[in-house]
PDB file of all heavy atoms in Angstrom:
ATOM      1  N   ASP A 442     -59.436  15.302  34.730  1.00 94.00           N
ATOM      2  CA  ASP A 442     -59.571  15.933  33.426  1.00 94.00           C
ATOM      3  C   ASP A 442     -60.301  15.014  32.466  1.00 94.00           C
ATOM      4  O   ASP A 442     -59.783  14.613  31.419  1.00 94.00           O
ATOM      5  CB  ASP A 442     -58.187  16.316  32.859  1.00 94.00           C
ATOM      6  CG  ASP A 442     -57.298  15.084  32.647  1.00 94.00           C
ATOM      7  OD1 ASP A 442     -57.481  14.075  33.337  1.00 94.00           O
ATOM      8  OD2 ASP A 442     -56.407  15.170  31.758  1.00 94.00           O
ATOM      9  N   THR A 443     -61.535  14.702  32.785  1.00 97.00           N
ATOM     10  CA  THR A 443     -62.260  13.642  32.082  1.00 97.00           C
ATOM     11  C   THR A 443     -63.378  14.202  31.202  1.00 97.00           C
ATOM     12  O   THR A 443     -63.944  15.267  31.475  1.00 97.00           O
ATOM     13  CB  THR A 443     -62.867  12.639  33.068  1.00 97.00           C
ATOM     14  OG1 THR A 443     -63.746  13.337  33.962  1.00 97.00           O
ATOM     15  CG2 THR A 443     -61.773  11.944  33.870  1.00 97.00           C
ATOM     16  N   TYR A 444     -63.668  13.445  30.155  1.00 98.00           N
ATOM     17  CA  TYR A 444     -64.812  13.715  29.292  1.00 98.00           C
ATOM     18  C   TYR A 444     -65.304  12.388  28.728  1.00 98.00           C
ATOM     19  O   TYR A 444     -64.541  11.621  28.135  1.00 98.00           O
ATOM     20  CB  TYR A 444     -64.436  14.648  28.159  1.00 98.00           C
ATOM     21  CG  TYR A 444     -65.557  14.801  27.138  1.00 98.00           C
ATOM     22  CD1 TYR A 444     -66.780  15.352  27.511  1.00 98.00           C
ATOM     23  CD2 TYR A 444     -65.404  14.365  25.817  1.00 98.00           C
ATOM     24  CE1 TYR A 444     -67.819  15.479  26.590  1.00 98.00           C
ATOM     25  CE2 TYR A 444     -66.440  14.508  24.887  1.00 98.00           C
ATOM     26  CZ  TYR A 444     -67.652  15.055  25.288  1.00 98.00           C
ATOM     27  OH  TYR A 444     -68.672  15.171  24.408  1.00 98.00           O
ATOM     28  N   GLY A 445     -66.564  12.117  28.961  1.00 98.00           N
ATOM     29  CA  GLY A 445     -67.200  10.948  28.360  1.00 98.00           C
ATOM     30  C   GLY A 445     -66.804   9.612  28.974  1.00 98.00           C
ATOM     31  O   GLY A 445     -67.080   8.562  28.389  1.00 98.00           O
ATOM     32  N   THR A 446     -66.190   9.628  30.162  1.00 97.00           N
ATOM     33  CA  THR A 446     -65.858   8.353  30.802  1.00 97.00           C
ATOM     34  C   THR A 446     -67.092   7.661  31.373  1.00 97.00           C
ATOM     35  O   THR A 446     -67.068   6.454  31.606  1.00 97.00           O
ATOM     36  CB  THR A 446     -64.841   8.568  31.936  1.00 97.00           C
ATOM     37  OG1 THR A 446     -65.397   9.445  32.916  1.00 97.00           O
ATOM     38  CG2 THR A 446     -63.552   9.154  31.397  1.00 97.00           C
ATOM     39  N   ARG A 447     -68.165   8.450  31.606  1.00 97.00           N
ATOM     40  CA  ARG A 447     -69.442   7.901  32.055  1.00 97.00           C
ATOM     41  C   ARG A 447     -70.551   8.592  31.262  1.00 97.00           C
ATOM     42  O   ARG A 447     -70.365   9.676  30.726  1.00 97.00           O
ATOM     43  CB  ARG A 447     -69.659   8.139  33.557  1.00 97.00           C
ATOM     44  CG  ARG A 447     -68.662   7.457  34.460  1.00 97.00           C
ATOM     45  CD  ARG A 447     -68.886   7.866  35.896  1.00 97.00           C
ATOM     46  NE  ARG A 447     -67.999   7.186  36.833  1.00 97.00           N
ATOM     47  CZ  ARG A 447     -67.931   7.466  38.126  1.00 97.00           C
ATOM     48  NH1 ARG A 447     -68.694   8.418  38.636  1.00 97.00           N
ATOM     49  NH2 ARG A 447     -67.114   6.811  38.901  1.00 97.00           N
ATOM     50  N   ARG A 448     -71.708   7.957  31.237  1.00 98.00           N
ATOM     51  CA  ARG A 448     -72.873   8.519  30.570  1.00 98.00           C
ATOM     52  C   ARG A 448     -74.015   8.652  31.567  1.00 98.00           C
ATOM     53  O   ARG A 448     -74.170   7.821  32.470  1.00 98.00           O
ATOM     54  CB  ARG A 448     -73.310   7.610  29.407  1.00 98.00           C
ATOM     55  CG  ARG A 448     -72.276   7.547  28.276  1.00 98.00           C
ATOM     56  CD  ARG A 448     -72.514   8.629  27.266  1.00 98.00           C
ATOM     57  NE  ARG A 448     -71.438   8.761  26.295  1.00 98.00           N
ATOM     58  CZ  ARG A 448     -71.483   9.586  25.260  1.00 98.00           C
ATOM     59  NH1 ARG A 448     -72.559  10.341  25.055  1.00 98.00           N
ATOM     60  NH2 ARG A 448     -70.459   9.674  24.422  1.00 98.00           N
ATOM     61  N   SER A 449     -74.818   9.678  31.381  1.00 98.00           N
ATOM     62  CA  SER A 449     -75.944   9.900  32.292  1.00 98.00           C
ATOM     63  C   SER A 449     -76.977   8.791  32.152  1.00 98.00           C
ATOM     64  O   SER A 449     -77.167   8.238  31.063  1.00 98.00           O
ATOM     65  CB  SER A 449     -76.587  11.260  32.032  1.00 98.00           C
ATOM     66  OG  SER A 449     -77.130  11.324  30.735  1.00 98.00           O
ATOM     67  N   ARG A 450     -77.644   8.530  33.244  1.00 97.00           N
ATOM     68  CA  ARG A 450     -78.704   7.504  33.251  1.00 97.00           C
ATOM     69  C   ARG A 450     -79.859   7.943  32.351  1.00 97.00           C
ATOM     70  O   ARG A 450     -80.453   7.117  31.641  1.00 97.00           O
ATOM     71  CB  ARG A 450     -79.191   7.307  34.695  1.00 97.00           C
ATOM     72  CG  ARG A 450     -80.081   6.091  34.918  1.00 97.00           C
ATOM     73  CD  ARG A 450     -80.354   5.916  36.390  1.00 97.00           C
ATOM     74  NE  ARG A 450     -81.190   6.963  36.936  1.00 97.00           N
ATOM     75  CZ  ARG A 450     -82.469   6.834  37.238  1.00 97.00           C
ATOM     76  NH1 ARG A 450     -83.068   5.661  37.069  1.00 97.00           N
ATOM     77  NH2 ARG A 450     -83.164   7.838  37.735  1.00 97.00           N
ATOM     78  N   ILE A 451     -80.188   9.201  32.371  1.00 98.00           N
ATOM     79  CA  ILE A 451     -81.228   9.755  31.521  1.00 98.00           C
ATOM     80  C   ILE A 451     -80.569  10.424  30.329  1.00 98.00           C
ATOM     81  O   ILE A 451     -79.743  11.339  30.471  1.00 98.00           O
ATOM     82  CB  ILE A 451     -82.072  10.801  32.291  1.00 98.00           C
ATOM     83  CG1 ILE A 451     -82.621  10.216  33.585  1.00 98.00           C
ATOM     84  CG2 ILE A 451     -83.207  11.329  31.401  1.00 98.00           C
ATOM     85  CD1 ILE A 451     -83.578   9.086  33.415  1.00 98.00           C
ATOM     86  N   GLY A 452     -80.873   9.997  29.118  1.00 98.00           N
ATOM     87  CA  GLY A 452     -80.392  10.654  27.922  1.00 98.00           C
ATOM     88  C   GLY A 452     -79.022  10.226  27.420  1.00 98.00           C
ATOM     89  O   GLY A 452     -78.681  10.535  26.291  1.00 98.00           O
ATOM     90  N   GLY A 453     -78.236   9.560  28.269  1.00 98.00           N
ATOM     91  CA  GLY A 453     -76.925   9.067  27.825  1.00 98.00           C
ATOM     92  C   GLY A 453     -75.937  10.148  27.502  1.00 98.00           C
ATOM     93  O   GLY A 453     -75.106  10.001  26.585  1.00 98.00           O
ATOM     94  N   PHE A 454     -75.947  11.260  28.255  1.00 98.00           N
ATOM     95  CA  PHE A 454     -75.008  12.362  27.981  1.00 98.00           C
ATOM     96  C   PHE A 454     -73.661  12.084  28.611  1.00 98.00           C
ATOM     97  O   PHE A 454     -73.558  11.486  29.676  1.00 98.00           O
ATOM     98  CB  PHE A 454     -75.578  13.677  28.534  1.00 98.00           C
ATOM     99  CG  PHE A 454     -76.778  14.168  27.797  1.00 98.00           C
ATOM    100  CD1 PHE A 454     -78.059  13.827  28.213  1.00 98.00           C
ATOM    101  CD2 PHE A 454     -76.633  14.955  26.671  1.00 98.00           C
ATOM    102  CE1 PHE A 454     -79.178  14.251  27.520  1.00 98.00           C
ATOM    103  CE2 PHE A 454     -77.751  15.399  25.958  1.00 98.00           C
ATOM    104  CZ  PHE A 454     -79.018  15.057  26.395  1.00 98.00           C
ATOM    105  N   PRO A 455     -72.570  12.530  27.968  1.00 98.00           N
ATOM    106  CA  PRO A 455     -71.222  12.316  28.541  1.00 98.00           C
ATOM    107  C   PRO A 455     -70.973  13.243  29.717  1.00 98.00           C
ATOM    108  O   PRO A 455     -71.428  14.402  29.740  1.00 98.00           O
ATOM    109  CB  PRO A 455     -70.312  12.647  27.381  1.00 98.00           C
ATOM    110  CG  PRO A 455     -71.072  13.645  26.552  1.00 98.00           C
ATOM    111  CD  PRO A 455     -72.520  13.238  26.668  1.00 98.00           C
ATOM    112  N   GLU A 456     -70.255  12.728  30.716  1.00 98.00           N
ATOM    113  CA  GLU A 456     -69.822  13.631  31.807  1.00 98.00           C
ATOM    114  C   GLU A 456     -68.778  14.605  31.253  1.00 98.00           C
ATOM    115  O   GLU A 456     -68.039  14.273  30.335  1.00 98.00           O
ATOM    116  CB  GLU A 456     -69.260  12.853  32.995  1.00 98.00           C
ATOM    117  CG  GLU A 456     -68.121  11.879  32.677  1.00 98.00           C
ATOM    118  CD  GLU A 456     -66.758  12.515  32.550  1.00 98.00           C
ATOM    119  OE1 GLU A 456     -66.589  13.636  33.059  1.00 98.00           O
ATOM    120  OE2 GLU A 456     -65.863  11.897  31.934  1.00 98.00           O
ATOM    121  N   VAL A 457     -68.753  15.811  31.815  1.00 98.00           N
ATOM    122  CA  VAL A 457     -67.783  16.824  31.454  1.00 98.00           C
ATOM    123  C   VAL A 457     -67.071  17.282  32.717  1.00 98.00           C
ATOM    124  O   VAL A 457     -67.706  17.831  33.628  1.00 98.00           O
ATOM    125  CB  VAL A 457     -68.459  18.033  30.778  1.00 98.00           C
ATOM    126  CG1 VAL A 457     -67.414  19.082  30.365  1.00 98.00           C
ATOM    127  CG2 VAL A 457     -69.299  17.610  29.584  1.00 98.00           C
ATOM    128  N   LEU A 458     -65.779  16.974  32.819  1.00 97.00           N
ATOM    129  CA  LEU A 458     -65.033  17.196  34.072  1.00 97.00           C
ATOM    130  C   LEU A 458     -65.766  16.545  35.233  1.00 97.00           C
ATOM    131  O   LEU A 458     -65.840  17.076  36.336  1.00 97.00           O
ATOM    132  CB  LEU A 458     -64.844  18.692  34.317  1.00 97.00           C
ATOM    133  CG  LEU A 458     -63.846  19.399  33.374  1.00 97.00           C
ATOM    134  CD1 LEU A 458     -63.860  20.883  33.622  1.00 97.00           C
ATOM    135  CD2 LEU A 458     -62.441  18.842  33.549  1.00 97.00           C
ATOM    136  N   GLY A 459     -66.328  15.374  34.974  1.00 96.00           N
ATOM    137  CA  GLY A 459     -67.008  14.608  36.025  1.00 96.00           C
ATOM    138  C   GLY A 459     -68.434  14.993  36.264  1.00 96.00           C
ATOM    139  O   GLY A 459     -69.121  14.306  37.040  1.00 96.00           O
ATOM    140  N   ALA A 460     -68.939  16.061  35.629  1.00 98.00           N
ATOM    141  CA  ALA A 460     -70.268  16.560  35.921  1.00 98.00           C
ATOM    142  C   ALA A 460     -71.274  16.158  34.858  1.00 98.00           C
ATOM    143  O   ALA A 460     -70.968  16.164  33.649  1.00 98.00           O
ATOM    144  CB  ALA A 460     -70.247  18.074  36.059  1.00 98.00           C
ATOM    145  N   MET A 461     -72.478  15.815  35.308  1.00 98.00           N
ATOM    146  CA  MET A 461     -73.581  15.491  34.416  1.00 98.00           C
ATOM    147  C   MET A 461     -74.463  16.713  34.201  1.00 98.00           C
ATOM    148  O   MET A 461     -74.405  17.681  34.960  1.00 98.00           O
ATOM    149  CB  MET A 461     -74.403  14.355  35.005  1.00 98.00           C
ATOM    150  CG  MET A 461     -73.674  13.045  35.152  1.00 98.00           C
ATOM    151  SD  MET A 461     -73.174  12.379  33.536  1.00 98.00           S
ATOM    152  CE  MET A 461     -72.393  10.831  34.036  1.00 98.00           C
ATOM    153  N   PRO A 462     -75.327  16.714  33.174  1.00 98.00           N
ATOM    154  CA  PRO A 462     -76.196  17.866  32.918  1.00 98.00           C
ATOM    155  C   PRO A 462     -77.201  18.096  34.057  1.00 98.00           C
ATOM    156  O   PRO A 462     -77.995  17.225  34.372  1.00 98.00           O
ATOM    157  CB  PRO A 462     -76.916  17.497  31.619  1.00 98.00           C
ATOM    158  CG  PRO A 462     -76.068  16.465  30.980  1.00 98.00           C
ATOM    159  CD  PRO A 462     -75.468  15.694  32.115  1.00 98.00           C
ATOM    160  N   ALA A 463     -77.170  19.305  34.632  1.00 98.00           N
ATOM    161  CA  ALA A 463     -78.074  19.603  35.734  1.00 98.00           C
ATOM    162  C   ALA A 463     -79.519  19.694  35.289  1.00 98.00           C
ATOM    163  O   ALA A 463     -80.440  19.559  36.106  1.00 98.00           O
ATOM    164  CB  ALA A 463     -77.649  20.909  36.400  1.00 98.00           C
ATOM    165  N   SER A 464     -79.762  19.885  33.994  1.00 98.00           N
ATOM    166  CA  SER A 464     -81.129  19.913  33.483  1.00 98.00           C
ATOM    167  C   SER A 464     -81.848  18.609  33.737  1.00 98.00           C
ATOM    168  O   SER A 464     -83.091  18.529  33.690  1.00 98.00           O
ATOM    169  CB  SER A 464     -81.129  20.222  31.991  1.00 98.00           C
ATOM    170  OG  SER A 464     -80.555  21.489  31.737  1.00 98.00           O
ATOM    171  N   LEU A 465     -81.099  17.526  33.965  1.00 98.00           N
ATOM    172  CA  LEU A 465     -81.697  16.190  34.140  1.00 98.00           C
ATOM    173  C   LEU A 465     -82.058  15.892  35.587  1.00 98.00           C
ATOM    174  O   LEU A 465     -82.600  14.818  35.871  1.00 98.00           O
ATOM    175  CB  LEU A 465     -80.691  15.112  33.679  1.00 98.00           C
ATOM    176  CG  LEU A 465     -80.200  15.209  32.236  1.00 98.00           C
ATOM    177  CD1 LEU A 465     -79.163  14.131  31.961  1.00 98.00           C
ATOM    178  CD2 LEU A 465     -81.375  15.104  31.258  1.00 98.00           C
ATOM    179  N   LEU A 466     -81.784  16.815  36.506  1.00 98.00           N
ATOM    180  CA  LEU A 466     -81.967  16.502  37.931  1.00 98.00           C
ATOM    181  C   LEU A 466     -83.376  16.028  38.258  1.00 98.00           C
ATOM    182  O   LEU A 466     -83.546  15.024  38.962  1.00 98.00           O
ATOM    183  CB  LEU A 466     -81.633  17.750  38.775  1.00 98.00           C
ATOM    184  CG  LEU A 466     -80.172  17.917  39.186  1.00 98.00           C
ATOM    185  CD1 LEU A 466     -79.925  19.317  39.755  1.00 98.00           C
ATOM    186  CD2 LEU A 466     -79.788  16.857  40.214  1.00 98.00           C
ATOM    187  N   ALA A 467     -84.403  16.723  37.774  1.00 98.00           N
ATOM    188  CA  ALA A 467     -85.776  16.324  38.112  1.00 98.00           C
ATOM    189  C   ALA A 467     -86.055  14.903  37.616  1.00 98.00           C
ATOM    190  O   ALA A 467     -86.633  14.072  38.369  1.00 98.00           O
ATOM    191  CB  ALA A 467     -86.773  17.294  37.494  1.00 98.00           C
ATOM    192  N   ASP A 468     -85.647  14.574  36.403  1.00 98.00           N
ATOM    193  CA  ASP A 468     -85.914  13.233  35.888  1.00 98.00           C
ATOM    194  C   ASP A 468     -85.062  12.194  36.599  1.00 98.00           C
ATOM    195  O   ASP A 468     -85.502  11.023  36.767  1.00 98.00           O
ATOM    196  CB  ASP A 468     -85.627  13.205  34.384  1.00 98.00           C
ATOM    197  CG  ASP A 468     -86.638  14.010  33.590  1.00 98.00           C
ATOM    198  OD1 ASP A 468     -87.802  14.088  34.024  1.00 98.00           O
ATOM    199  OD2 ASP A 468     -86.266  14.584  32.563  1.00 98.00           O
ATOM    200  N   GLU A 469     -83.851  12.552  37.009  1.00 98.00           N
ATOM    201  CA  GLU A 469     -83.010  11.594  37.746  1.00 98.00           C
ATOM    202  C   GLU A 469     -83.609  11.257  39.105  1.00 98.00           C
ATOM    203  O   GLU A 469     -83.439  10.137  39.615  1.00 98.00           O
ATOM    204  CB  GLU A 469     -81.581  12.148  37.919  1.00 98.00           C
ATOM    205  CG  GLU A 469     -80.773  12.234  36.633  1.00 98.00           C
ATOM    206  CD  GLU A 469     -80.271  10.867  36.154  1.00 98.00           C
ATOM    207  OE1 GLU A 469     -80.653   9.838  36.749  1.00 98.00           O
ATOM    208  OE2 GLU A 469     -79.485  10.840  35.200  1.00 98.00           O
ATOM    209  N   VAL A 470     -84.339  12.177  39.685  1.00 98.00           N
ATOM    210  CA  VAL A 470     -85.002  11.916  40.975  1.00 98.00           C
ATOM    211  C   VAL A 470     -86.252  11.076  40.758  1.00 98.00           C
ATOM    212  O   VAL A 470     -86.559  10.176  41.545  1.00 98.00           O
ATOM    213  CB  VAL A 470     -85.361  13.253  41.666  1.00 98.00           C
ATOM    214  CG1 VAL A 470     -86.227  12.988  42.918  1.00 98.00           C
ATOM    215  CG2 VAL A 470     -84.087  14.001  42.064  1.00 98.00           C
TER     216      VAL A 470
END
């Protein structure tokens, strides 16, 4: 039940229930 325990490599977005924004997939690759 997590929010903001990690930040995305691109954009620094908080995880939501462990998930990062899928819109970032292309840039993360």
